[in-house]
């Protein structure tokens, strides 16, 4: 049995948080209510682009922490053969419903409910792993990345994301980020820089090939006073500025493509 990355009490908190916030996670992809929701939509678009740059579209991909299945639907629509895992039964239920609503054929074996570290996937190794919004909730990140490696074939591709440590919103102390924001129990969230993500991956047998830093959201005062429009305007403005000035170090999120050595 692989080692655990979170203890039982942490796993219970993660399960309860995401079971309670499953509907909100689902809805943000169709009906964004904050600029951060749009950053999460963009995260998926960047991740799919990175993956298709490095992995042919008929490959097998494991979606780790699949949530409501929107990432997996993006994968399936591009022709990847997808398997999903999530600890939250509510999330997996939504994933299956979303697959069915999109007319995508799936088998129950393609959706595993449980802790990623202990789950039995029956098949493998996979050609690719997608883990968006997942690593930041894991206490022992190195153990998780080692498990990614075990499940990938040599040369397989990992796409992993994480929130940036020094985002503008955290620097200005204005963030509400994910801690209880969408309902459910507050969770501890790890944060990253390009350097830290590269170090964690290199220490676990991966080579970083590419990365995207993006998003300038989570300014509650702006959205309180100027609504979603104001938040989106600021996000768009700072994204344009980031093409000329080196402010991407302070954006919200990083998506990394790495290959298993
Ligand atoms: C922030 S959500 C992201 C969902 C999805 N990847 C997306 O981008 O919309 C994180 C998901 O990871 C799941 N998760 C967190 N820790 C987990 C673990 N140890 N094993 C399995 N799933 C886990 C949660 O239940 C949740 O659905």
């Amino acid at each position: 049995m692989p080692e655990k990355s979170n203890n039982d009490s942490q796993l219970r908190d993660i399960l309860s948080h995401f079971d309670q916030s499953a509907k909100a996670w689902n809805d943000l992809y169709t009906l964004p209510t904050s600029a951060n929701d749009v950053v999460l939509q963009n995260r998926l678009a960047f991740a799919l682009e990175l993956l298709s740059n490095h992995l042919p579209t008929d490959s097998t991909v494991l979606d780790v922490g699949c949530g409501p299945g929107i990432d997996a639907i993006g994968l399936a629509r591009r022709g990847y053969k997808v398997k999903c895992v999530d600890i939250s039964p509510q999330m997996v239920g939504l994933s299956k419903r979303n697959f069915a609503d999109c007319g995508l054929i799936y088998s129950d074996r393609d959706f595993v409910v449980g802790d990623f570290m202990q789950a039995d996937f029956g098949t493998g190794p996979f050609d690719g792993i997608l883990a968006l919004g997942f690593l930041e909730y894991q206490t022992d990140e190195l153990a998780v990345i080692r498990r990614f490696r075990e499940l990938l074939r040599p040369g397989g591709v990992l796409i992993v994301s994480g929130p940036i440590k020094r985002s503008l919103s955290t620097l200005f102390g204005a963030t509400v980020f994910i801690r209880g924001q969408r309902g459910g129990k507050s969770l501890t969230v790890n944060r990253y820089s390009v350097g830290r993500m590269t170090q964690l991956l290199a220490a676990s047998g991966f080579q970083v090939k590419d990365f995207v830093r993006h998003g300038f959201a989570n300014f509650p005062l702006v959205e309180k006073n100027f609504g979603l429009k104001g938040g989106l305007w600021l996000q768009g403005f700072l994204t344009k500025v980031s093409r000329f000035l080196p402010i991407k170090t302070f954006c919200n999120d990083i998506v990394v493509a790495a290959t298993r050595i």
Side-chain angles (χ1 to χ4, degrees):
M1 174 75 67
E3 56 199 311
K4 283 185 183 178
S5 147
N6 294 304
N7 64 34
D8 288 343
S9 142
Q10 288 163 330
L11 287 175
R12 272 195 300 276
D13 287 350
I14 290 174
L15 194 158
S16 135
H17 175 93
F18 284 107
D19 256 0
Q20 286 177 53
S21 58
K23 189 176 176 310
W25 272 100
N26 184 59
D27 294 352
L28 76 87
Y29 285 100
T30 43
L31 241 153
T33 56
S34 71
N36 190 55
D37 291 353
V38 175
V39 170
L40 296 175
Q41 294 180 354
N42 293 343
R43 174 175 81 185
L44 173 57
F46 285 126
L48 292 174
E49 194 183 327
L50 282 176
L51 186 66
S52 52
N53 288 346
H54 291 90
L55 197 67
T57 48
D58 57 347
S59 311
T60 55
V61 178
L62 178 66
D63 182 0
V64 179
C66 65
I70 311 299
D71 307 347
I73 287 170
L75 292 169
R77 282 192 167 144
R78 275 165 183 75
Y80 291 111
K81 297 175 203 99
V82 193
K83 193 152 203 165
C84 298
V85 58
D86 202 290
I87 199 167
S88 152
Q90 293 292 332
M91 288 288 201
V92 172
L94 283 171
S95 284
K96 289 184 182 175
R97 198 188 72 191
N98 287 331
F99 261 64
D101 287 352
C102 291
L104 291 165
I105 297 165
Y106 69 86
S107 131
D108 279 340
R109 276 173 311 185
D110 297 334
F111 291 91
V112 179
V113 180
D115 174 24
F116 164 66
M117 294 299 283
Q118 299 164 82
D120 176 6
F121 298 106
T123 53
F126 296 92
D127 301 313
I129 289 184
L130 180 77
L132 300 185
F134 173 80
L135 192 63
E136 59 263 40
Y137 302 107
Q138 314 309 315
T139 308
D140 188 345
E141 297 146 301
L142 282 173
V144 169
I145 299 170
R146 278 198 298 272
R147 180 86 178 121
F148 288 155
R149 191 172 186 279
E150 276 168 19
L151 291 167
L152 276 175
R153 66 160 165 79
V157 179
L158 170 67
I159 306 289
V160 63
S161 79
I164 294 259
K165 191 174 170 102
R166 291 170 172 224
S167 65
L168 277 182
S169 51
T170 48
L171 287 176
F172 287 112
T175 186
V176 288
F177 198 54
I178 194 70
R179 288 164 204 266
Q181 185 188 9
R182 295 181 205 287
K185 196 166 174 163
S186 297
L187 299 174
T188 303
V189 179
N190 309 320
R191 291 181 170 271
Y192 305 90
S193 60
V194 177
R196 174 144 195 273
M197 194 65 108
T198 307
Q199 252 176 11
L200 286 169
L201 289 165
S204 318
F206 282 93
Q207 186 178 18
V208 171
K209 292 286 180 190
D210 206 352
F211 65 86
V212 176
R213 287 171 297 175
H214 69 104
F216 293 94
N218 275 327
F219 299 102
L221 281 179
V222 172
E223 296 199 24
K224 198 171 161 215
N225 290 301
F226 303 102
L228 174 59
K229 260 190 173 170
L232 288 178
W233 180 86
L234 188 60
Q235 140 85 0
F237 173 74
L238 290 173
T239 301
K240 276 186 196 139
V241 172
S242 73
R243 287 180 202 138
F244 309 103
L245 293 177
I247 58 168
K248 280 205 177 155
T249 326
F250 306 110
C251 65
N252 294 123
D253 188 66
I254 179 169
V255 187
V256 176
T259 48
R260 179 200 193 279
I261 299 165

